[in-house]
Amino acid sequence: MDPYFIVFFIMALGAAIFMITAKDALPSALGLLTVFIALSALYLHLSAPLVAIFQVSIYAGAILVLIVFVIMLLTVPSERFQLFQRNMSYRIMGAVLGALMTALLAIGLKGVKDIIYKREIPEGFGHPHLFGDFLFRDYLLHFEVASVLLLVALIGAIYLSKKKA
Amino acid sequence: MEAWGVALIKVVFIWAWTLIIATLMTWVERRGSAMIQDRLGPNVCGPFGILQPLADGIKLFTKEDIVPEKAKKILFALGPIMFALPAFSAYAVIPFGDKIVIGGKEIILQVADVNIGFLYIMAIGAMSVYGIVVGGWGSNNKFSILGGLRSTAQLISYEVPFGLALLSVVIIYGTFSLREIVLHQQGTFLGFLPNWGIFKQPLGFILFIVTAYCEANRVPFDLPEAESEIVAGYHTEYGSMRLGLYLFGEYVNMYTLSALMVTLYFGGWHIPYIDMSKFLGPVAYGIASFLVFFLKTCFFLWLFVWVRWTVPRFRYDQVMSLGWKSLIPLALLNLFITAFLVQLTI
């Protein structure tokens, strides 16, 4: 296997494990940040610089900042979180959802033999122009459906916050 | 191998240059504030006190490195590094001159001309907030946490108009490469106006400069370290060179943002109406383009200082309402008008 790949995949996995086991809230968020950065490095390695930069600027630059904001608003540095969930129903629910997620990932393994062989990269692969062409010509419908979905979430969030006030 | 050598030289040069500029900026800031407030400022070390940054540096290095007892040691050490590192990496994609020919080889005056340079700057710019947050949290101090909290809230609010203002520029020039954007700004349009971003995006530039001051945590947006409210914000507990890294990172950020303003809105290394490459030799042209770019950047660096000592700090709710109620709608309007006009002219 590729040493570059191994370094970043170990980094991503290690940071992910640290993230769910950390007792302090902010180091846990920093673990998630490391996961995002490692994933972005893997995308770079797969000749997809645009996706890599989106990974950093959207996930690490916007979503995680929001999470960190909530952490800083609601907790203090001395506050510690218990490692194991005591509530039995939560544990069962987590196990079922985790199993489902693993099953979904296992289905994804079907395509693994396409990945492990080196393939010719088409000319201009990963260039913003090509990316835009794909997004707004070939996959326009998917793009619009995703944006409608986000709009629904946005309206829902506004409705919920209005109701409380 | 040779390409690697050239790249290494460029990286080292830009690294050293940024360090020198950031160091000199601390002196410019103190002398500038003195000038505006009708004082003398540091004038003892060397002519006009120009060696003052050196004295400050020696002072910071030789001070005792104090770590508060209740601080989280690892986070406390990590904070300044996480703040300074993105600041230094952001400059990699900014073209600091056109090109220079040495020994028959054409060398582009830019560390990396990547076709996503523009997005890289945005991604790296957002990273610097983690240094503030980690430092504030690691200090385990009320004021530090408040500073970190303000910093995240500010970033979330101002990253949106920042990005939208930049996107309008991309719509006009049709590329993410900063070098290509500068190359597009040569010559004139409508017969007499220089082909600069400022004339095509006047509203976009105003939005950009306001949000850039917020990204750099400078007055009037320096709420994360507001001295009159929360002592010194996120770096209350820091001393010695750790504090030095925070202060230094701020000046490096200022330099990058000034260079970005010149690149996007003020024609990069171009002088209006004059094409330098026509009558200067290849080496002289390279140096001239670098100097022109640097002089323009200097003006915006001075503007940062000028604004800091002229404008009072916003109140916190004013910052938020300005961001959400004025800047974001204006940025959306600007984006819409730009897209509409570009669509008409195609």
Side-chain angles (χ1 to χ4, degrees):
Chain A
M1 264 211 279
D2 208 335
Y4 184 97
F5 177 75
I6 292 175
V7 167
F8 283 104
F9 119 85
I10 290 174
M11 188 172 149
L13 268 186
I17 291 169
F18 174 76
M19 186 203 114
I20 50 175
T21 53
K23 283 182 183 161
D24 205 347
L26 194 79
S28 172
L30 290 181
L32 190 58
L33 175 68
T34 318
V35 174
F36 289 149
I37 289 171
L39 280 184
S40 148
L42 286 178
Y43 287 136
L44 259 187
H45 188 49
L46 294 169
S47 328
L50 198 66
V51 183
I53 218 82
F54 281 157
Q55 173 81 20
V56 173
S57 63
I58 295 172
Y59 284 93
I63 294 174
L64 194 60
V65 175
L66 206 61
I67 294 176
V68 167
F69 175 69
V70 174
I71 289 175
M72 299 198 80
L73 198 63
L74 298 181
T75 63
V76 288
S78 47
E79 197 170 330
R80 298 241 140 197
F81 293 94
Q82 59 187 40
L83 197 50
F84 289 109
Q85 182 59 250
R86 295 269 155 76
N87 191 328
M88 206 57 203
S89 61
Y90 277 3
R91 287 172 87 162
I92 294 169
M93 222 148 52
V96 170
L97 285 178
L100 275 176
M101 197 68 207
T102 318
L104 269 179
L105 286 175
I107 294 170
L109 278 180
K110 236 174 44 172
V112 81
K113 64 175 189 298
D114 292 344
I115 304 170
I116 45 180
Y117 298 115
K118 261 213 163 128
R119 285 198 287 179
E120 285 286 306
I121 294 169
E123 183 146 354
F125 182 80
H127 194 278
H129 280 282
L130 204 72
F131 196 84
D133 272 352
F134 267 127
L135 210 58
F136 295 104
R137 193 174 297 145
D138 301 0
Y139 296 101
L140 183 62
L141 183 70
H142 309 64
F143 180 78
E144 290 300 334
V145 168
S147 62
V148 168
L149 210 63
L150 285 174
L151 189 66
V152 169
L154 209 66
I155 293 170
I158 292 171
Y159 174 73
L160 285 179
S161 62
K162 279 271 179 205
K163 210 169 146 190
K164 262 184 198 159
Chain B
M1 217 39 228
E2 203 173 342
W4 279 97
V6 171
L8 191 69
I9 290 170
K10 282 197 277 195
V11 168
V12 171
F13 172 73
I14 267 306
W15 173 270
W17 184 254
T18 315
L19 277 179
I20 292 169
I21 298 302
T23 317
L24 276 179
M25 272 314 288
T26 60
W27 174 75
V28 171
E29 175 113 75
R30 296 177 68 178
R31 289 292 289 198
S33 72
M35 201 183 88
I36 288 168
Q37 298 172 341
D38 201 14
R39 295 183 282 118
L40 279 177
N43 62 348
V44 178
C45 303
F48 303 107
I50 196 142
L51 294 178
Q52 186 66 37
L54 202 68
D56 286 346
I58 293 170
K59 186 195 82 174
L60 283 174
F61 266 114
T62 50
K63 267 195 163 182
E64 188 189 352
D65 179 24
I66 297 172
V67 181
E69 201 183 326
K70 290 264 174 71
K72 303 193 173 299
K73 306 283 181 300
I74 299 172
L75 291 182
F76 189 78
L78 212 59
I81 301 169
M82 282 181 77
F83 186 71
L85 209 62
F88 274 109
S89 355
Y91 207 81
V93 293
I94 291 183
F96 50 92
D98 193 2
K99 57 197 169 198
I100 192 165
V101 181
I102 294 171
K105 279 212 178 311
E106 201 173 83
I107 296 168
I108 298 173
L109 293 180
Q110 181 182 17
V111 175
D113 179 23
V114 285
N115 56 26
I116 47 164
F118 194 85
L119 296 166
Y120 173 85
I121 292 264
M122 280 192 67
I124 290 288
M127 286 298 104
S128 67
V129 71
Y130 289 109
I132 296 178
V133 167
V134 168
W137 185 272
S139 303
N140 206 351
N141 169 319
K142 292 184 197 73
F143 300 114
S144 303
I145 294 172
L146 276 176
L149 183 63
R150 286 177 170 198
S151 163
T152 49
Q154 219 168 287
L155 185 96
I156 297 167
S157 317
Y158 280 72
E159 189 76 2
V160 180
F162 185 73
L164 288 175
L166 289 176
L167 266 184
S168 311
V169 179
V170 173
I171 289 182
I172 283 192
Y173 295 113
T175 172
F176 282 129
S177 158
L178 291 172
R179 189 178 166 74
E180 276 175 41
I181 287 178
V182 176
L183 289 175
H184 276 301
Q185 297 186 41
Q186 204 169 14
T188 53
F189 76 110
L190 294 179
F192 63 101
L193 280 175
N195 217 348
W196 287 2
I198 175 89
F199 297 113
K200 296 184 168 174
Q201 280 287 318
L203 181 59
F205 176 67
I206 295 169
L207 290 169
F208 179 78
I209 199 165
V210 171
T211 48
Y213 277 60
C214 191
E215 295 259 316
N217 284 328
R218 293 282 295 186
V219 172
F221 297 103
D222 70 334
L223 288 128
E225 47 175 291
E227 298 90 349
S228 51
E229 302 160 24
I230 49 173
V231 191
Y234 58 92
H235 59 59
T236 303
E237 296 285 1
Y238 281 93
S240 75
M241 206 49 209
R242 294 181 203 246
L243 175 69
L245 268 181
Y246 270 123
L247 302 181
F248 216 64
E250 185 183 318
Y251 288 103
V252 176
N253 272 337
M254 270 164 62
Y255 185 43
T256 312
L257 285 167
S258 304
L260 199 60
M261 283 175 209
V262 173
T263 309
L264 295 175
Y265 295 100
F266 286 86
W269 56 80
H270 297 304
I271 302 177
Y273 315 119
I274 301 167
D275 189 359
M276 285 188 296
S277 62
K278 290 241 172 71
F279 52 87
L280 283 177
V283 177
Y285 173 61
I287 295 169
S289 68
F290 174 73
L291 285 179
V292 167
F293 184 84
F294 178 63
L295 280 177
K296 288 182 184 175
T297 312
C298 279
F299 171 73
F300 286 101
L301 280 172
W302 168 246
L303 197 67
F304 268 105
V305 175
W306 195 358
V307 167
R308 170 161 179 184
W309 299 101
T310 316
V311 181
R313 184 183 299 126
F314 279 126
R315 223 168 48 219
Y316 198 69
D317 59 314
Q318 288 173 327
V319 172
M320 286 299 135
S321 66
L322 176 72
W324 290 100
K325 291 182 186 161
S326 313
L327 293 182
I328 292 180
L330 274 178
L332 283 170
L333 178 74
N334 186 42
L335 190 71
F336 180 76
I337 294 173
T338 311
F340 187 69
L341 289 179
V342 167
Q343 192 64 36
L344 279 186
T345 50
I346 284 176

